[in-house]
Amino acid sequence: MSEHWPWLALAGLGVFHGINPAMGWLFAVALGMHRASRRVVLLALVPIALGHALAIGVVVALVVALGVVFEHGSVRLLGGLTLLVWGVYHHVYGRRRHRLRVGMRTGLAGLAVWSFLMASGHGAGLMLVPVLLPMKLTATHAHGAAFGTFAAAVAAVGVHTLAMLGTTAAVAVLVYEWVGVGFLRRGWINLDLVWTLALIVSGFLLLSSGLAAGAVASSAAPLGLGVEPLRS
């Protein structure tokens, strides 16, 4: 079960991202209503998912690259600090600065760019860092190992994006066909606050594990035990 939990976590975060209106389903519904077409709703989800996948892929690539240069303990510290700072920034400034204005006449490319910027601005990819690190996505110079790393990285992006796309599609169709967007005014979970808390809590846990790994390595070194920093 332990080897499967990162994949389940990636899918779970995909569901969480898909539920968030800021990640695309609300825009898709608005486009569908503007053009009076359910087909437009479904078609809009494709570039939205592609833009989200690109934002996630950038973070996955950074995790792989940092894993080549630094020990996992250092990457944990860096990732934890980044998540904490981003979470505070998102809470203080994000809600005002992430309102990207894209018109109802935008094309598929415009939707993909909007989705990429929204996912990046909200730190969607950063939220995956605590899940990606235990997967040991560290590239090596060996051809077979490098290919395995690339395949695992692509699979991680794919699992997350498919879960996000499925959830976004389900919510968008449900809202467009039956519920309507009026329920957002009547009552809706403050997902923006939940999102901020998720960033901060993930950063705190990642930072704590990085500090713990460094403490173990520092205490073992004087004794000549040759204990390396924890990499799991």
Side-chain angles (χ1 to χ4, degrees), residues 65-178:
L66 289 173
V68 175
V69 181
F70 301 104
E71 291 288 340
H72 277 205
S74 300
V75 177
R76 285 180 179 181
L77 290 174
L78 179 61
L81 285 172
T82 303
L83 279 164
L84 285 173
V85 171
W86 205 279
V88 173
Y89 162 80
H90 179 72
H91 178 68
V92 177
Y93 300 108
R95 285 171 290 183
R96 294 194 296 269
R97 297 188 179 182
H98 294 162
R99 293 175 182 173
L100 303 175
R101 298 187 180 276
V102 179
M104 291 293 104
R105 296 183 180 276
T106 186
L108 298 182
L111 276 175
V113 172
W114 173 87
S115 178
F116 171 78
L117 294 176
M118 286 295 290
S120 300
H122 279 74
L126 292 176
M127 199 179 291
L128 271 62
V129 172
V131 180
L132 296 171
L133 289 179
M135 298 175 69
K136 298 181 180 179
L137 300 178
T138 304
T140 66
H141 295 292
H143 176 73
F147 178 79
T149 297
F150 175 77
V154 171
V157 175
V159 167
H160 174 82
T161 304
L162 286 175
M164 175 265 182
L165 176 59
T167 304
T168 303
V171 175
V173 172
L174 180 65
V175 172
Y176 180 81
E177 294 286 357
W178 295 287

Side-chain angles (χ1 to χ4, degrees), residues 53-65 120 123-129 132:
L54 181 58
I56 299 299
V58 169
V59 174
V60 173
L62 285 174
V63 170
V64 173
S120 300
L126 292 176
M127 199 179 291
L128 271 62
V129 172
L132 296 171

